[in-house]
Amino acid sequence: MKNLYKTALVAMTLLSAPAMADKSGVSFEHKDWELACDNTLTCRAAGYAKEEGEGGSVLLSRDAGPDIAPTGEVILADTDADKAAPVTKLTLWINGRAVGDLASVKDEAWQLSASQTQAVIRAVKGSAKVEFRGGAAPFILSGEGASAVMLKMDEVQGRIGTPGALTKKGDKPESSVLPAVPAPVIQAASVSKSPTRPLTAAETALFKPKMRVTLKGNDYCDRQQPSDERKDDAEDDRLSVTPLDDSHVLVSALCWRAAYNEGYGYWVTDTKLSEPPVLVTDSGSEYDKGVITMAQKGRGIGDCWSSASWVWDGKAFRQSHIATTGMCRYIRGGGTWDLPTLVTEVKAAQ
């Protein structure tokens, strides 16, 4: 049995050379807090309760650049939402003192004011008790790991030693803070509308040896490796081909299957299947209209996910997105937050 979380990460990192053109960001996790900074240097830090399934989560977001303040949001756990009355008011309490109500925003999230955000940051760096009251039970935010995660956020954004740092403040000018990096632009190309079809036996015999060259040293595409236990033409393992344009096709095949995830390999080659194929990913989930997507559960109940996507630009698939939904803490089905480490601007095909 594979390590499924590791498998999901492989889907985001095992790419062809053209697909790696856009640099990803930074992920960091310590105790009850985690950080995701994307390639534009926007950072998002999520904090949780000490125990899984309790309370909810807080998200602190901060864009890059000088004189930019962090913002804060809260999501309450909804795993027992069908048994509980809707939350109509949520109040921040610190050390037993009310610090005001939060504003309700879309998707059942709650917005912290600027002063409340700063109060939470100060509190979780120390030993203060942070609570959000209004649900069936108070959500008590853990501070364990918060200082380390905030220090890493400051480091990534170049804020250490500045007045706006979350941790190690100083008198370095705000102008020394790293500016935001523009998101890479991907110009999507038009793709063929011809349908996907299975490779013939002759095409498979021609393509598989070339495909397997791309898998040397790769333990994550065992369904396409030679096996004494499985017939080479097993129905589940057969290859399919989808035209991309007049010169390129996309070949796909099941790479691996586990308890609650499966991953497909995607290769780009010429229409005659004669050129060496280029592996895009070994853990894709779907191809549609010029986009390969990946979505993998962190565990069977589906409370945490990893996702990625690749866009066809006419020459290669370029990675356009990498994200997770945060820690597996049994807060929400489908995941709690969107924590990207790679973002791009995709322009629609002309």
Side-chain angles (χ1 to χ4, degrees):
M1 181 66 66
K2 296 179 184 296
N3 181 320
L4 298 179
Y5 183 69
K6 184 177 181 181
T7 299
L9 293 180
V10 167
M12 297 185 283
T13 56
L14 182 58
L15 313 171
S16 65
M20 291 186 68
D22 300 319
K23 185 178 179 182
S24 182
V26 173
S27 295
F28 178 73
E29 181 180 314
H30 189 57
K31 296 183 178 179
D32 298 320
W33 281 75
E34 65 182 324
L35 175 71
C37 296
D38 65 36
N39 50 311
T40 71
L41 298 185
T42 292
C43 290
R44 299 167 179 88
Y48 304 86
K50 287 182 180 292
E51 299 298 329
E52 179 180 321
E54 290 190 358
S57 179
V58 167
L59 183 69
L60 303 175
S61 303
R62 195 175 202 180
D63 291 339
D67 301 311
I68 301 292
T71 60
E73 298 174 73
V74 177
I75 279 184
L76 299 179
D78 73 346
T79 49
D80 294 319
D82 56 334
K83 303 175 185 178
V87 177
T88 58
K89 185 173 78 168
L90 191 65
T91 306
L92 170 64
W93 291 70
I94 297 179
N95 282 341
R97 183 178 67 86
V99 192
D101 297 339
L102 281 67
S104 177
V105 292
K106 63 179 182 178
D107 299 327
E108 300 182 68
W110 299 81
Q111 187 75 47
L112 290 159
S113 68
S115 61
Q116 288 173 330
T117 300
Q118 291 297 332
V120 168
I121 290 170
R122 289 192 299 269
V124 294
K125 289 190 300 180
S127 57
K129 183 178 182 180
V130 178
E131 299 175 86
F132 296 91
R133 300 182 187 177
F139 162 30
I140 301 175
L141 176 64
S142 172
E144 294 186 9
S147 292
V149 162
M150 291 180 191
L151 178 61
K152 187 66 176 179
M153 181 190 285
D154 285 341
E155 177 188 318
V156 170
Q157 295 187 325
R159 299 186 191 277
I160 294 176
T162 68
L166 299 179
T167 52
K168 297 182 179 179
K169 297 181 181 292
D171 56 5
K172 290 173 61 176
E174 278 290 307
S175 59
S176 66
V177 172
L178 295 175
V181 177
V185 176
I186 300 176
Q187 176 61 63
S190 298
V191 293
S192 171
K193 295 181 180 179
S194 298
T196 299
R197 65 170 179 83
L199 288 186
T200 66
E203 289 172 327
T204 299
L206 172 67
F207 185 76
K208 265 207 169 182
K210 298 183 180 73
M211 176 192 74
R212 283 172 172 163
V213 169
T214 70
L215 299 175
K216 287 184 176 178
N218 175 7
D219 295 332
Y220 291 92
C221 200
D222 57 329
R223 299 297 288 253
Q224 299 304 323
Q225 305 282 17
S227 172
D228 295 333
E229 301 175 359
R230 186 180 62 255
K231 291 183 178 180
D232 203 39
D233 63 348
E235 185 173 351
D236 281 356
D237 303 338
R238 288 176 183 169
L239 281 63
S240 299
V241 61
T242 306
L244 291 170
D245 53 35
D246 293 339
S247 304
H248 303 89
V249 296
L250 183 66
V251 177
S252 60
L254 180 65
C255 263
W256 55 268
R257 180 170 284 154
Y260 42 82
N261 285 320
E262 62 182 12
Y264 285 80
Y266 290 92
W267 293 262
V268 175
T269 187
D270 66 301
T271 55
K272 296 181 179 179
L273 307 179
S274 58
E275 295 181 358
V278 176
L279 175 63
V280 182
T281 178
D282 66 5
S283 296
S285 300
E286 185 180 19
Y287 167 79
D288 184 47
K289 298 177 182 177
V291 180
I292 297 169
T293 55
M294 181 278 284
Q296 305 289 355
K297 294 180 183 180
R299 58 184 182 177
I301 58 176
D303 62 329
C304 47
W305 291 76
S306 297
S307 62
S309 59
W310 297 260
V311 174
W312 178 248
D313 71 359
K315 296 181 180 179
F317 278 93
R318 292 181 57 192
Q319 189 150 34
S320 56
H321 191 73
I322 301 173
T324 74
T325 62
M327 290 184 186
C328 302
R329 290 300 185 100
Y330 195 50
I331 294 173
R332 294 197 161 234
T336 308
W337 303 111
D338 179 27
L339 304 179
T341 52
L342 176 67
V343 297
T344 60
E345 178 187 351
V346 177
K347 293 190 173 181
Q350 302 298 317

